[in-house]
Amino acid sequence: MKADTHPDYHMIKVQMTDGTVFETRSTWGKEGDTLVLEIDPISHPAWTGGTRQIDSGGRVAQFNKRFGGLTLKKN
């Protein structure tokens, strides 16, 4: 294996949005740096089940608005 091909892997601190801090190993920053998160599993709607924004003006929505009431009837 070639020498000096891998990045430095060291301990950093990660600060969550609620202020909790934990230590982990990473290639980010330098030894002892603190990574402050703006979005994390505690606050992000993808993990908390918050509301989603739905595109109501897309092509499918326009089609359904125009043709949504049509039905096929058997004679």
Side-chain angles (χ1 to χ4, degrees):
M1 185 158 53
K2 292 182 181 180
D4 300 327
T5 59
H6 298 286
D8 180 35
Y9 196 56
H10 50 270
M11 294 297 289
I12 66 165
K13 293 179 182 174
V14 178
Q15 182 177 351
M16 306 288 268
T17 57
D18 66 351
T20 58
V21 178
F22 66 92
E23 288 190 23
T24 187
R25 293 176 54 105
S26 176
T27 58
W28 180 87
K30 297 178 181 138
E31 179 80 28
D33 282 353
T34 301
L35 175 62
V36 179
L37 299 179
E38 295 175 4
I39 298 174
D40 64 13
I42 296 170
S43 64
H44 195 278
W47 288 285
T48 60
T51 60
R52 295 188 307 189
Q53 295 179 357
I54 298 173
D55 181 18
S56 60
R59 301 297 297 165
V60 173
Q62 290 176 2
F63 179 86
N64 287 335
K65 181 178 177 184
R66 187 170 179 186
F67 300 109
L70 296 178
T71 59
L72 297 175
K73 296 181 182 178
K74 291 185 179 182
N75 291 337

